[in-house]
Amino acid sequence: MAFSADELRVLRRALAVALHPAPLQDEDVQDALRLAESVDEAVREAGRLRAFLLDDLARYREALPGSLSGYLELLKDALAAGYDPAADDLAALRALRRNPAAAALLARCRILAERSVRARLARVSQATTTPAAATPRVRLLALPGGRAAADEPKPTPPAPAERPVPKPSEVFPPRRRPVPPPPPEERVAG
């Protein structure tokens, strides 16, 4: 993300105020709010672009092997942007490993996928080994179905109003039978 000179000026003033608190002028507050909105919009746009690129990558993957060169380029760009290769990507590259570029990309994707799995496993094991005493447990009695709700009698649901069941002839009207053509003797030659 790149900032303009004006945006950098606003950011510098905001950081100075954060380090050395002082009253802000209304103009400075408005500038900071505009900068925050611009940054938020840039983040949203980056998310939309990432979603578009990942959809494009999936379309190219589905069109393989005909879209091999385009798929490999998109996958390289996605990996450079921090994309973790999915199982579909690895399967597609395995099927295309006779191509030298696909084989090289497969080796790179295997390493990245392994790192990603190891990082997720480390986070999960770290979360499960954290002592329970470190995180205080809070009781949520105000939620429906909690301990307070168990003490109250449960209301009985009202009985549904009885409606007569319609007859099949009321739901499906009788079909009209086709009229047979007149016999050949009654036909008039014309």
Side-chain angles (χ1 to χ4, degrees):
M1 179 181 298
F3 291 104
S4 70
D6 288 334
E7 290 172 334
L8 284 175
R9 180 182 49 81
V10 171
L11 188 59
R12 190 175 300 127
R13 273 189 284 153
L15 289 174
V17 168
L19 292 173
H20 305 288
L24 286 174
Q25 296 177 4
D26 290 341
E27 180 183 327
D28 291 340
V29 171
Q30 293 302 320
D31 289 343
L33 289 174
R34 276 192 296 272
L35 178 62
E37 289 173 7
S38 297
V39 170
D40 289 343
E41 179 59 32
V43 168
R44 284 192 297 271
E45 184 62 30
R48 286 191 293 268
L49 180 62
R50 180 176 171 82
F52 172 77
L53 291 176
L54 292 179
D55 288 344
D56 208 20
L57 181 66
R59 280 192 295 276
Y60 272 79
R61 184 176 49 237
E62 290 170 5
L64 285 173
S67 62
L68 177 65
S69 61
Y71 173 70
L72 294 178
E73 282 301 315
L74 282 174
L75 185 57
K76 283 179 191 175
D77 292 344
L79 293 174
Y83 172 69
D84 286 331
D88 293 339
D89 295 312
L90 294 171
L93 289 172
R94 273 189 221 105
L96 301 167
R97 68 178 141 209
R98 281 183 264 144
N99 181 309
L105 205 51
L106 175 62
R108 181 177 171 200
C109 286
R110 281 183 176 161
I111 292 169
L112 292 173
E114 185 177 332
R115 283 184 193 161
S116 175
V117 168
R118 287 179 189 261
R120 279 184 281 179
L121 288 174
R123 283 193 301 265
V124 168
S125 67
Q126 188 178 27
T128 57
T129 59
T130 303
T135 57
R137 185 171 177 206
V138 179
R139 290 203 169 176
L140 301 175
L141 298 177
L143 294 176
R147 182 178 282 177
D151 298 338
E152 299 173 4
K154 295 183 180 179
T156 56
E162 301 232 357
R163 290 184 2 195
V165 177
K167 298 179 198 171
S169 61
E170 294 172 343
V171 176
F172 304 105
R175 293 185 183 171
R176 296 181 186 244
R177 294 191 178 150
V179 178
E185 311 78 54
E186 295 178 13
R187 289 188 200 159
V188 178

